[in-house]
Amino acid sequence: MQRLTVSEANLEQLFGTRDENLCYLEQRLDITVSARGPEVTLDGDSGAERIVARLLGSFDRLLSSGGAVSKDEYRTGVRVLEEDIGIDLVEFFLDASIPVTLKRYVVPRSLNQRRFIRSVYTHDYVFTIGPAGTGKTYLAVALAAAALMDKQVRRIVLVRPAVEAGERLGFLPGDLEEKINPYLRPVYDALYDILGYEKVAKLVERQVIEIAPLAFMRGRTLNDAFIILDEAQNTTHEQMKMFLTRTGFHSKTVITGDITQIDLPEARSSGLVEALEILDGAEGFAFISFTQRDVVRHPLVQQVVDRYARWEAQRTRAENGEKR
């Protein structure tokens, strides 16, 4: 059993409505959390007690320093402390947050997300690999929007290979922008969430946010730009080599992809997989790998990712056994 004292002024935000934050901790960590005013008593496994004590103490300091705490912060805090009990959560939430607008901050939801954000600040090329739901595209777009709003770059260039995921859509109607838009919809969804529809529409109209089909990038040099190549696992060797040579001065390039979801014809190798091998150890390049532990979507999405990974691993083992 462990006892701690928190600031009385922070009780409402710290505990949540009807102590919902404490109830979450009890269910998530199988621990009993009792509060009488600012006095909190923890009764459970020593590891769980240590996590909750560190979490509540950190969030108490975060609130006292002007920060905010919600259900999302509690979920993130538990996940992060389970990975590294020694981490400073106040620094985690304040140091690596992305100030996109005066009204909204985007904060990391895992240690790998924090590493990704810091890598973008310190490197011109960043590769981020991982399954769906780990925030790769969303964080890349948030960082690009923040750089644009802070006038660190003059434009955002969004690039995505036009490859269908197991479907054949045929010829799409409209001009070039209208044809490529369906493939960039996830990037637009993130932009709308971060900057708002009207602001994004104006920036696209002024070509500050530019849609650049990967096939049409040859011959360009992009200066003062934040460039995002999304779904990079569907690039070919030639496309990836061409794309990586487009970055100009004062620009940042972020490449995102999931190498478990390659939609290229079986005869073609993924340019992303090759690039990871070719550029491994190269100076100025950062590589961040997300795992199922970093999935930050709806909890059921994490179950989907986990179960598909197990099923695919079992099928691979079975196929290898048959070949033998």
Side-chain angles (χ1 to χ4, degrees):
M1 185 174 294
Q2 187 172 345
R3 292 182 175 83
L4 67 149
T5 304
V6 295
S7 302
E8 195 162 357
N10 297 331
L11 292 184
E12 184 176 352
Q13 292 186 68
L14 195 61
F15 294 168
T17 304
R18 296 182 179 177
D19 294 343
E20 61 179 347
N21 293 335
L22 302 186
C23 292
Y24 166 75
L25 294 176
E26 290 184 325
Q27 294 172 3
R28 176 70 172 75
L29 295 169
D30 191 21
I31 187 174
T32 300
V33 184
S34 306
R36 178 172 293 181
E39 304 297 326
V40 181
T41 302
L42 311 177
D43 188 6
D45 175 80
S46 60
E49 286 184 6
R50 191 178 177 196
I51 288 175
V52 174
R54 190 160 181 83
L55 184 78
L56 292 176
S58 297
F59 282 169
D60 191 22
R61 289 190 290 121
L62 182 63
L63 289 167
S64 297
S65 64
V69 172
S70 68
K71 293 179 184 178
D72 288 336
E73 275 68 41
Y74 268 83
R75 294 189 181 95
T76 300
V78 171
R79 182 189 298 116
V80 168
L81 289 174
E82 285 179 330
E83 291 186 54
D84 182 1
I85 190 65
I87 196 165
D88 185 338
L89 281 182
V90 177
E91 180 185 346
F92 177 88
F93 283 108
L94 295 180
D95 184 52
S97 61
I98 308 169
V100 179
T101 67
L102 294 177
K103 295 182 179 179
R104 182 181 180 86
Y105 277 74
V106 177
V107 299
R109 297 299 177 191
S110 71
L111 288 177
N112 278 331
Q113 285 195 359
R114 186 193 193 201
R115 293 187 188 105
F116 172 56
I117 293 170
R118 288 185 163 184
S119 294
V120 172
Y121 288 148
T122 56
H123 294 77
D124 289 338
Y125 282 89
V126 178
F127 286 80
T128 174
I129 317 300
T134 51
K136 305 181 302 294
T137 299
Y138 191 90
L139 285 179
V141 171
L143 287 160
L148 182 66
M149 295 297 102
D150 290 342
K151 303 189 185 309
Q152 297 173 13
V153 297
R154 289 190 292 131
R155 56 180 168 164
I156 298 173
V157 181
L158 308 175
V159 185
R160 208 172 193 239
V163 177
E164 295 103 341
E167 301 176 64
R168 293 293 178 267
L169 302 179
F171 292 101
L172 296 174
D175 58 21
L176 177 62
E177 183 175 320
E178 291 169 331
K179 289 178 186 294
I180 200 66
N181 266 351
Y183 300 100
L184 287 166
R185 183 53 50 191
V187 182
Y188 272 115
D189 288 343
L191 279 170
Y192 294 148
D193 188 45
I194 293 164
L195 293 178
Y197 181 85
E198 291 185 2
K199 182 176 287 188
V200 171
K202 289 179 182 178
L203 293 173
V204 169
E205 184 179 355
R206 290 164 43 202
Q207 296 272 305
V208 175
I209 296 178
E210 179 184 353
I211 302 163
L214 180 57
F216 292 175
M217 287 283 287
R218 189 174 300 278
R220 299 187 64 185
T221 300
L222 302 172
N223 297 314
D224 299 306
F226 197 114
I227 311 153
I228 300 173
L229 172 59
D230 195 35
E231 297 290 336
Q233 75 274 7
N234 290 326
T235 60
T236 63
H237 171 87
E238 296 79 11
Q239 288 175 327
M240 180 59 77
K241 181 180 178 182
M242 177 268 292
F243 173 79
L244 291 173
T245 57
R246 300 305 97 201
T247 300
F249 293 104
H250 311 298
S251 291
K252 284 190 180 290
T253 300
V254 174
I255 300 99
T256 74
D258 178 1
I259 58 177
T260 68
Q261 296 191 33
I262 299 173
D263 300 311
L264 293 169
E266 290 186 7
R268 304 302 298 271
S269 59
S270 168
L272 175 60
V273 174
E274 293 179 346
L276 295 175
E277 180 180 351
I278 293 168
L279 297 171
D280 183 34
E283 186 178 353
F285 290 79
F287 302 88
I288 306 297
S289 294
F290 291 105
T291 68
Q292 283 83 357
R293 289 178 61 90
D294 298 300
V295 172
V296 291
R297 288 183 180 173
H298 192 286
L300 293 182
V301 173
Q302 181 143 12
Q303 285 194 45
V304 170
V305 173
D306 291 341
R307 288 177 176 266
Y308 265 87
R310 289 199 298 269
W311 183 85
E312 289 165 356
Q314 291 172 357
R315 185 178 65 172
T316 299
R317 286 195 297 268
E319 291 174 349
N320 290 339
E322 290 176 2
K323 291 177 182 179
R324 292 174 186 173

